[in-house]
Amino acid sequence: MAALVPFPLEQPGVAGLNKEGRNTVLGPEWATKVDNLVIDDEGRLATRKGTRALAAVDLPSDVEVTWSMVTGAGAIQTYCTTDAGIVYQLLSGVWTSVFTGLPDGNVQFAAVNGLAYFVRSGTALVHRQATSGGAFTTVAGSPSGKACISMYGRLWVMDDTTVKTHATVLDPTSAYSTAVELRFAWEKGNDESVALAEFNGNLVIFGKGNTVIYADPEDPLGGSSTFSKVESISGVGCLNRDTIQNVGRDLLYLSSKGMRTLGRVIQEKSNPITDAAPQVRDYILDQVIAATDIRVKSGYSPKLGLYVLTLANTTLAFDTRRPLANGALRVTEWDSDLNAPSYDHNNGLFMSRGATVVRYFGVKDGVSSAGTGGTTLTGEFESGWLDFNQVAEGAGILTKYLKKLHMTFVGGNGATVQWKWATDYGTTFRTAQATIPVPTTAAQYGISQYGIGKYGEAISIIKKT
């Protein structure tokens, strides 16, 4: 009998999801299925965190937007909206209605001078009248806006034809004037206004097919204002307002040509040739076509380095910490029923699952606000079809079939692992199962010698065949 020849597959799937090449032979670094996993701090595939409810009682209907802000006193205020058009605030662990009467909950929030504001297309600007406990009310004479942003003590509001801001800095209830006439801003003809953003201290105005950047937005209405257009990029706009997130020193968003970072779009101007995630480009765009604007949302956690995008039938997590060699971001996929991600101002993320607002936290899904219950997370990884010629030198002269699989796991004590494999492009899988054993000691150096508190629990490194 011929000797077994090892084919090393180091850190399989470490490049993340690749939907574009799923029907071809891919290298072992790619995954064609990578559910409920993330790229961990060491660059390996690992199970994502779980979810824990923020309140003991759910909302009356499905959540569309989550948002939080920090007041001038350093307190975190947390809000959400539902598809019934009601805005809620989390007060003493209970969701309390603070504004009603909207057609739906697809609003955009912003904070100015420690107060919360929000806009919705066809609805006048709404603001909170006091930092703590003040009522929410519409701002008399304010514009109706589809998007807004807070910059330099000003609230900027976009509608179909203009971008407006207010006369008195730090007072978004003062009179509004037009700062930008959009029909003159677009480089080529007309465009549909979509969103506003801040980038390197500049105001960014997105249409669906154009991007315009204005510098010096501190005093756009003053007589000596230097507020002016400094960049105009035709052919690249933004598909959806709520896909825009500041990620480190760049801006990530979804265009009609895939995911984009504004820094690279500016460098390439009107001929963008790169995509922030080309390996899932068509997959994302197909999901956007099937989704409503309410479903397409994003959130970003600087601490986790995660940009999370919810689409029609999936949730995608982009790792912004370690791009691939070509600059593309590694992508994994999460449960399709997660929605409305946002930064929680505490190094993590908020999301919703139906009528429940949750924090991205812990090791189980569906944990109550009291920390009880929950279900075990199941992560799933599938590689693409592998040609072992690409993996082991000289493999091409051998007869190749899977005889033995030997894998190393970090952590996962007590977890059940199931392997499955197929050959010759078949669809019938064979399976095998094993349980990762629990270490016999609970601390790295033993309980009695150093104590649990000083060194914590062990991280087991276990090999299974």
Side-chain angles (χ1 to χ4, degrees):
M1 180 182 292
L4 295 180
V5 177
F7 298 101
L9 301 175
E10 296 182 3
Q11 296 186 338
V14 71
L17 186 66
N18 189 331
K19 287 289 190 179
E20 302 300 301
R22 62 186 179 275
N23 295 320
T24 64
V25 174
L26 292 172
E29 70 275 14
W30 290 109
T32 57
K33 187 174 186 179
V34 59
D35 290 352
N36 284 328
L37 300 174
V38 293
I39 308 297
D40 71 7
D41 292 340
E42 303 299 325
R44 304 167 299 210
L45 281 182
T47 308
R48 68 165 172 85
K49 294 183 181 181
T51 58
R52 180 172 176 172
L54 265 63
V57 179
D58 289 347
L59 281 303
S61 58
D62 286 353
V63 175
E64 293 185 358
V65 173
T66 65
W67 183 75
S68 63
M69 60 167 282
V70 180
T71 68
I76 297 176
Q77 294 180 352
T78 301
Y79 299 89
C80 74
T81 68
T82 67
D83 56 11
I86 302 175
V87 181
Y88 293 87
Q89 183 181 0
L90 188 65
L91 296 172
S92 302
V94 177
W95 289 112
T96 303
S97 171
V98 293
F99 194 84
T100 61
L102 298 172
D104 55 51
N106 194 28
V107 308
Q108 185 169 37
F109 286 94
V112 179
N113 198 25
L115 296 174
Y117 295 79
F118 66 83
V119 298
R120 184 199 169 279
S121 184
T123 303
L125 173 68
V126 177
H127 79 121
R128 187 162 202 176
Q129 294 178 305
T131 302
S132 178
F136 279 81
T137 184
T138 57
V139 177
S142 66
S144 165
K146 59 168 64 175
C148 68
I149 187 175
S150 173
M151 288 183 65
Y152 297 114
R154 291 184 177 276
L155 187 71
W156 301 74
V157 179
M158 167 189 274
D159 59 24
D160 289 333
T161 59
T162 64
V163 176
K164 295 181 172 68
T165 190
H166 44 91
T168 306
V169 69
L170 296 179
D171 183 11
T173 65
S174 58
Y176 280 76
S177 298
T178 297
V180 179
E181 283 276 4
L182 294 177
R183 56 179 176 161
F184 300 129
W186 309 129
E187 182 175 322
K188 294 181 180 179
N190 200 13
D191 199 358
E192 179 183 344
S193 61
V194 175
L196 301 171
E198 180 275 331
F199 181 70
N200 288 342
N202 299 320
L203 174 69
V204 184
I205 302 174
F206 286 105
K208 285 210 168 171
N210 291 269
T211 304
V212 185
I213 301 175
Y214 280 76
D216 301 327
E218 294 92 336
D219 185 23
L221 305 177
S224 59
S225 174
T226 56
F227 179 68
S228 62
K229 182 166 63 176
V230 293
E231 291 277 357
S232 183
I233 305 166
S234 178
V236 184
C238 178
L239 277 184
N240 184 282
R241 177 193 73 188
D242 298 316
T243 65
I244 301 171
Q245 296 292 333
N246 288 91
V247 292
R249 298 181 179 180
D250 213 334
L251 203 69
L252 186 62
Y253 62 98
L254 179 62
S255 79
S256 61
K257 298 177 175 63
M259 299 302 302
R260 288 285 185 264
T261 57
L262 187 58
R264 297 179 76 173
V265 168
I266 291 174
Q267 292 170 9
E268 296 156 0
K269 294 291 284 186
S270 60
N271 186 33
I273 59 173
T274 57
D275 190 321
Q279 68 276 22
V280 291
R281 175 186 180 276
D282 290 345
Y283 185 56
I284 290 175
L285 294 177
D286 288 345
Q287 291 277 333
V288 171
I289 292 172
T292 64
D293 283 346
I294 292 173
R295 172 64 185 169
V296 181
K297 304 293 180 187
S298 69
Y300 173 70
S301 168
K303 171 68 174 179
L304 301 173
L306 281 178
Y307 168 93
V308 178
L309 177 67
T310 58
L311 298 168
N313 300 299
T314 189
T315 299
L316 298 178
F318 297 73
D319 180 15
T320 65
R321 297 170 299 176
R322 297 180 182 85
L324 298 170
N326 63 355
L329 303 179
R330 305 167 199 256
V331 184
T332 58
E333 197 161 19
W334 294 358
D335 287 342
S336 61
D337 62 345
L338 292 170
N339 194 21
S342 67
Y343 181 48
D344 68 356
H345 285 91
N346 192 26
N347 296 324
L349 291 165
F350 291 139
M351 290 180 287
S352 70
R353 181 175 264 127
T356 306
V357 180
V358 300
R359 188 187 300 275
Y360 180 63
F361 177 81
V363 296
K364 288 186 175 183
D365 256 347
V367 177
S368 71
S369 60
T372 58
T375 58
T376 302
L377 276 165
T378 299
E380 189 170 358
F381 158 71
E382 289 183 9
S383 71
W385 293 107
L386 299 176
D387 179 358
F388 288 111
N389 287 330
Q390 301 175 357
V391 181
E393 184 178 354
I397 63 174
L398 303 174
T399 300
K400 304 182 288 293
Y401 63 93
L402 186 63
K403 184 72 174 180
K404 182 183 291 188
L405 186 64
H406 188 77
M407 299 190 72
T408 301
F409 296 91
V410 179
N413 302 335
T416 299
V417 178
Q418 180 169 291
W419 294 281
K420 64 178 185 179
W421 64 95
T423 58
D424 297 331
Y425 303 99
T427 57
T428 301
F429 288 87
R430 298 183 179 182
T431 63
Q433 187 170 293
T435 300
I436 299 176
V438 178
T440 56
T441 57
Q444 187 173 358
Y445 293 95
I447 296 176
S448 59
Q449 186 174 0
Y450 289 97
I452 295 176
K454 186 172 184 180
Y455 287 92
E457 294 184 354
I459 297 178
S460 55
I461 299 178
I462 299 166
K463 297 182 180 180
K464 295 295 294 182
T465 300

